[in-house]
Amino acid sequence: MGQLRPPTRDRLLALGTTVAYRDGDVILTHGEPGDNVVLLLTSAVKVVVHSEHGPTALLAIRIRGDLVGEQSVIDRKTRSASVIACGDVLAQSIGRGEFEAFLKRTPDADQQLRSMMSERLRWADQRRVDFLALKAHARVARVLVEVAKTCGWEHEETWEITIPLTQEELGSLASIARRTVEQQMRKLLEAGLVRTAYRKTSLLNMAELQRVADSR
């Protein structure tokens, strides 16, 4: 929403129905028809894919102001992933017909949507390229830095990630095995760069973590 002009933003917020979700609720389900988009008004969500023959993969984290579910509305195919609430989430659910009509009469919103989708695709492509050249320790550090800057907050030089992330989920984002994530997180803990607690990860030295993230 931050990329839209105020009048366009107001028109978007007037669409659909406000819905409240509890922590862990499934907002959108992988494989179901794409009948609506969801505009996040508070909190954050996880975008995940459930595999029949393997663990659940965490693809991305979306935060307040982000739109989810747009891909299946535009291409009229089934959902490519599920969206799970992280904490209590307030969102605006907008039906396909209403959303498509809004885009037709609001060209700047349509252009911004296309730009957003292109940016997400470029981000995913760049991540694949980067990770081909990065070792495990750099991948884990880079994921922690990215998540902190996306949905964390800074407090007295410490960055707090309050979205709970399992070792498996970190492995999905870093494209490495869970056991490798555990080994690398242990090294970061021993080096005093991170601290973990229930449902929270603290980055204690962002500058040094960024250096590790950029190392080859």
Side-chain angles (χ1 to χ4, degrees), residues 1 24 27 32 35 37 39 45 65 67 71 87 100 104 113 115 127 129 150 163-164 166 173 178 180 198 205 209 213:
M1 284 198 300
I27 298 174
E32 289 192 348
D35 297 329
V37 298
L39 178 64
V45 299
L67 190 71
Q71 184 175 7
E100 289 178 336
K104 287 180 180 178
L113 175 65
S115 296
R127 173 181 286 271
V129 171
T150 299
I163 291 179
T166 66
L173 292 176
R178 174 179 176 175
T180 305
Y198 177 66
N205 189 332
L209 273 173

Side-chain angles (χ1 to χ4, degrees), residues 9-210:
R9 190 184 312 142
D10 291 341
R11 285 195 288 270
L12 177 61
L13 288 170
L15 302 179
T17 304
T18 303
V19 185
Y21 298 96
R22 303 297 296 273
D23 183 33
D25 282 353
V26 179
I27 298 174
L28 300 175
T29 303
H30 183 202
E32 289 192 348
D35 297 329
N36 67 310
V37 298
V38 175
L39 178 64
L40 304 176
L41 303 178
T42 66
S43 199
V45 299
K46 294 178 180 178
V47 181
V48 303
V49 172
H50 304 284
S51 170
E52 294 181 4
H53 308 291
T56 297
L58 175 61
L59 303 181
I61 296 171
R62 303 294 181 218
I63 61 174
R64 180 182 64 180
D66 279 341
L67 190 71
V68 293
E70 76 289 341
Q71 184 175 7
S72 58
V73 164
I74 290 173
D75 64 19
R76 296 183 177 273
K77 295 181 180 179
T78 57
R79 306 286 189 194
S80 59
S82 295
V83 175
I84 313 295
C86 294
D88 294 338
V89 174
L90 196 65
Q92 204 74 6
S93 177
I94 307 168
R96 172 191 282 152
E98 189 177 13
F99 186 66
E100 289 178 336
F102 166 73
L103 294 178
K104 287 180 180 178
R105 66 175 183 267
T106 319
D108 60 318
D110 182 68
Q111 180 58 48
Q112 185 56 46
L113 175 65
R114 295 176 189 279
S115 296
M116 179 199 74
M117 295 178 69
S118 175
E119 186 176 310
R120 289 179 178 178
L121 180 59
R122 287 178 180 274
W123 177 87
D125 288 344
Q126 187 60 50
R127 173 181 286 271
R128 293 188 187 97
V129 171
D130 288 346
F131 280 2
L132 286 174
L134 295 178
K135 295 182 179 179
H137 67 283
R139 293 187 186 192
V140 172
R142 181 163 295 194
V143 166
L144 290 173
V145 169
E146 287 179 353
V147 172
K149 290 183 176 180
T150 299
C151 54
W153 54 279
E154 187 177 11
H155 176 66
E156 296 181 353
E157 300 184 358
T158 296
W159 283 79
E160 305 287 354
I161 302 174
T162 54
I163 291 179
L165 291 173
T166 66
Q167 305 282 10
E168 210 164 65
E169 289 172 334
L170 281 174
S172 294
L173 292 176
S175 299
I176 55 179
R178 174 179 176 175
R179 180 174 296 180
T180 305
V181 173
E182 292 173 349
Q183 293 170 347
Q184 299 306 320
M185 283 296 291
R186 190 178 304 116
K187 291 179 180 179
L188 294 175
L189 286 164
E190 292 171 352
L193 299 181
V194 303
R195 180 176 61 235
T196 59
Y198 177 66
R199 297 176 67 87
K200 185 173 72 171
T201 301
S202 302
L203 310 189
L204 307 179
N205 189 332
M206 180 64 88
E208 180 60 19
L209 273 173
Q210 186 66 68

